[in-house]
């Protein structure tokens, strides 16, 4: 398909053929990402297809941007796969085998094609073939609803689909990783990327549990933390204070001239107490509420910005779309759609060597005879037991969440990730169990990049590495002698990815930021809050989605290097760019486009038959496509049909009984995951969701187990590390002995 680009450079996936057999937004968005990066994506539409379409998809026409469409029978898919590099499918397990589209069947017929399977739920267990594909149900089963922004600990429905963008980027990354493996003579066989794998990334630092000792768990926090919440100002406007760490919170209190808050009863001089003690959080939060109400939002933003404290105004989606920052980032574009007319839509949230590619066309119909695909031959692989990125070294110079998520994904694909920290470690180590979950498959070394010898050692590390990922703002990179030209001078073949909050444009280059800041500025917090105060989700969708998208861009650059150019690439990604993709449907606008969902406090869903409801022994999720199911569901439950209200009293029924009634009414339903013992839930355990790691201080920790399953190879063994655990080991590999001798 034709591409629009700022230059004439070819997209990194030029020449790659993708056969997309999709029924869900996540698989379709995965195909869109591959198309925007240059792949020739052909979507198959099967006559009399038995696979259920997703009830939450909404039919966004932009999901098919840059693709061609062919009408085929199911029996023709294996033959088409002989001419493809990637077969991307989201069929449920039983349907996959019935159509002869399993990994084994495709490998037998088309050994040169990589099979990427993206089922909505998992690969086994009660629900995988019983439920229609719907991320509202997956959010209930997988813990996303359980950890929503609730004031009382009850589950919450989000106004956007948090799972689809992460699942899409993860599936696309697995596909491109396989291409990298094939280009390097590695095995590029079959990958399974389930919806629960996407939940694992999304909930990476939220679904954790200390088994031997009590450790602060970000996922267990109930109610707002004073350093990490919204405040209403004297003019009625809202801002979000994002002082994540104790030093940042102290800096914020100093700027606000309210250090006295540290002396309040319950706080008692310990800033960490506000995250642990409800009494301390209430006292400090109340004091700050009254203080912020004494001046306008702009006054407070200026005060906090001058002190270097991350914070942001709360705004609407329209204000975000029209902002100077978003204009400079080029986050949106327009095109003419053959059916719906002029359409405004998000661009791909990545730049590579200054380019942002957008595939042209929308689901253009093609005939099999005119595809122009010749058959691909089988490809030899010298290392058939390897993971696709085995043998590649990735240097992780990032802290906190977004950047390290990218390298965590690359580690799952087989890369050797070396995390470089200052002597005292990544500041995120303050959250011990979350840090462990995020960095479990990485080696850690300590270097002081302000010290000349250590800086030289770091440059030597870059010379012998394939990827550098950092989250340095431009001024910080310049101060460390690590501007893009410095990195390229050290290694012309390295892929250098920088992850920032707001990009490197004039409007955003100096701004620090965290996920809630983007939620607040982009309109997501106002949408979740509805008619009430803005509500920021506990789940860091921008951090995680930015991380996985960065991993996708890195693998695409590696593929271009190994298959065609022999050169490195410069990649930029940001949380600000990602929000367009994270809210893809909400930021897509055309004549007749559906209205975005609006939430409220403790939001349970848009209507009764698509909501979370309390039962006698837990919570149940109903997932009808529209309100027409309200009356049949209410009748089956033996209650009056709710009028305008979403919530109904079914507290006399058990969850299993409510599911049976919903099934009788033709409404899909499932239980909502119980937060207690969530890491050992039967369905999650059947899908290998959890693993136990011994932390070097706190003992056994339950964390998520992985983001992808390959048909060969295993990633590095998960382990807890101290700062500098592998410094000597890595320096020895570099041949640097003087540091070892001292």
């Amino acid at each position: 398909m034709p591409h629009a680009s700022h230059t004439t450079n070819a997209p990194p996936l030029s020449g790659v053929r993708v056969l997309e057999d999709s029924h869900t937004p996540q698989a379709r968005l995965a195909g869109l990402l591959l198309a925007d990066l240059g792949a020739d994506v052909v979507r198959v539409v099967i006559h009399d297809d038995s696979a259920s379409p997703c009830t939450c998809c909404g039919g966004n026409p932009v999901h098919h941007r840059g693709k061609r469409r062919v009408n085929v029978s199911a029996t023709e898919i294996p033959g088409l796969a002989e001419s493809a590099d990637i077969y991307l499918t989201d069929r449920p397990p039983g349907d996959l085998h019935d159509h002869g589209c399993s990994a084994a069947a495709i490998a037998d017929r088309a050994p040169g094609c990589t099979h990427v399977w993206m089922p909505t739920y998992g690969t086994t267990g009660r629900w995988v073939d019983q439920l229609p594909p719907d991320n509202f149900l997956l959010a209930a089963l997988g813990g996303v609803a359980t950890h929503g922004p609730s004031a009382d600990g009850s589950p919450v429905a989000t106004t956007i689909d948090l799972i689809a963008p992460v699942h899409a980027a993860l599936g696309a990354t697995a596909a491109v990783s396989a291409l990298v493996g094939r280009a390097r003579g590695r095995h590029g066989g079959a990958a399974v990327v389930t919806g629960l794998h996407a939940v694992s990334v999304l909930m990476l630092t939220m679904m954790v549990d200390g088994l031997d000792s009590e450790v602060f768990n970000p996922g267990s926090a109930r109610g707002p933390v004073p350093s990490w919440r919204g405040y209403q100002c004297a003019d009625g406007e809202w801002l979000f204070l994002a002082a994540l760490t104790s030093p940042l919170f102290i800096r914020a209190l100093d700027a606000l001239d309210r250090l006295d808050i540290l002396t309040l009863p319950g706080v008692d001089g310990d800033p960490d107490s506000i995250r642990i003690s409800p009494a301390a959080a209430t006292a400090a939060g109340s004091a700050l509420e009254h203080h912020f109400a004494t001046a306008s939002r702009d006054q407070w933003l200026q005060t906090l910005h001058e002190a270097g404290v991350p914070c942001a105004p709360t705004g609407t989606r329209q204000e975000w779309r029209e902002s100077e920052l978003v204009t400079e980032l080029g986050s949106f574009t327009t095109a003419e759609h053959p059916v719906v007319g002029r359409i405004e839509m998000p661009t791909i949230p990545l730049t590579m060597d200054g380019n942002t590619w957008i595939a042209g066309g929308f689901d253009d119909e093609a005939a099999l005879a005119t595809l122009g695909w010749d058959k691909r031959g089988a490809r030899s692989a010298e290392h058939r037991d390897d993971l696709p990125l085995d043998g590649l070294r990735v240097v992780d110079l990032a802290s906190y969440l977004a950047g390290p998520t990218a390298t965590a994904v690359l580690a799952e694909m087989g890369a050797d990730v070396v995390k470089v920290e200052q002597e005292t470690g990544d500041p995120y180590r303050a959250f011990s169990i979350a840090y462990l979950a995020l960095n479990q498959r990485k080696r850690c070394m300590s270097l002081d990049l302000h010290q000349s010898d250590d800086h030289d050692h770091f440059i030597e590390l870059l010379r012998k590495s394939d990827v550098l990922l950092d989250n340095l703002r431009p001024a910080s990179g310049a101060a460390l002698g690590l501007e893009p030209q410095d990195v390229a001078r050290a290694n012309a073949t390295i892929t250098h990815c920088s992850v920032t909050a707001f990009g490197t444009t004039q409007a955003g280059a100096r701004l620090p930021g965290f996920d809630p800041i983007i939620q607040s500025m982009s309109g997501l917090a106002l949408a979740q809050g509805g008619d009430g105060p803005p509500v920021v989700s506990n789940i860091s969708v921008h951090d995680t989605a930015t991380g996985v998208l960065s991993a996708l861009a890195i693998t695409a650059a590696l593929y271009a290097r190994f298959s065609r150019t022999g050169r490195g690439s410069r990649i930029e990604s940001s949380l600000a760019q990602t929000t367009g993709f994270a809210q893809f449907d909400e930021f897509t606008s055309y004549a007749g486009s559906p209205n975005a969902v609006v939430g409220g406090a403790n939001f349970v869903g848009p209507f009764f038959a698509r909501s979370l409801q309390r039962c006698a022994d837990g919570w149940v999720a109903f997932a009808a496509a529209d309100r027409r199911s309200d009356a049949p569901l209410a009748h089956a439950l033996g209650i009056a049909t709710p009028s305008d209200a979403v919530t109904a009293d079914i507290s006399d029924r058990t969850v299993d009984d409510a599911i049976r009634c919903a099934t009788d009414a033709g409404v899909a339903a499932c239980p909502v995951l119980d937060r207690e013992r969530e890491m050992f839930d039967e369905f999650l355990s059947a899908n290998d969701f959890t693993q136990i790691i011994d932390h070097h201080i706190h003992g056994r920790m339950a964390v998520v187990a992985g983001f992808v399953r390959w048909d060969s190879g295993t990633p590095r063994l998960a382990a807890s590390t101290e700062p500098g655990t592998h410094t000597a080991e890595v320096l020895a590999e570099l041949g640097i002995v003087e540091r070892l001798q001292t």
Side-chain angles (χ1 to χ4, degrees), residues 403-423:
T405 296
T407 54
V409 171
L410 296 175
E412 290 285 329
M413 308 297 172
D416 171 24
V417 178
V418 178
K419 183 172 178 63
V420 178
E421 303 174 273
Q422 56 190 334
E423 297 289 341

Side-chain angles (χ1 to χ4, degrees), residues 294-380:
T294 63
S296 70
R297 180 176 70 182
D298 287 347
Q299 289 175 281
W300 290 128
L301 289 173
Q302 181 178 351
T303 297
L304 292 168
H305 281 153
E306 288 175 352
V309 176
C311 59
T314 300
T316 66
R317 288 191 176 108
Q318 189 62 31
E319 289 170 338
W320 173 257
R321 193 195 301 257
E322 295 173 354
S323 67
E324 177 188 0
L325 170 67
V326 169
T327 300
E328 288 188 0
L329 287 172
S331 299
F332 300 99
T333 189
T334 58
E336 284 295 323
H337 189 277
V339 176
V340 301
R342 187 172 181 80
I343 193 164
E344 185 173 11
M345 56 189 175
T347 59
I348 187 171
L350 302 161
T351 60
M352 187 179 300
D353 297 325
N355 301 306
T356 299
W357 295 278
I358 300 294
F362 293 94
D363 211 26
D364 299 340
E365 188 170 2
L368 283 176
T370 62
L371 279 184
W373 282 13
D374 56 350
K375 289 187 178 182
R376 300 291 207 203
R379 300 170 191 180
S380 61

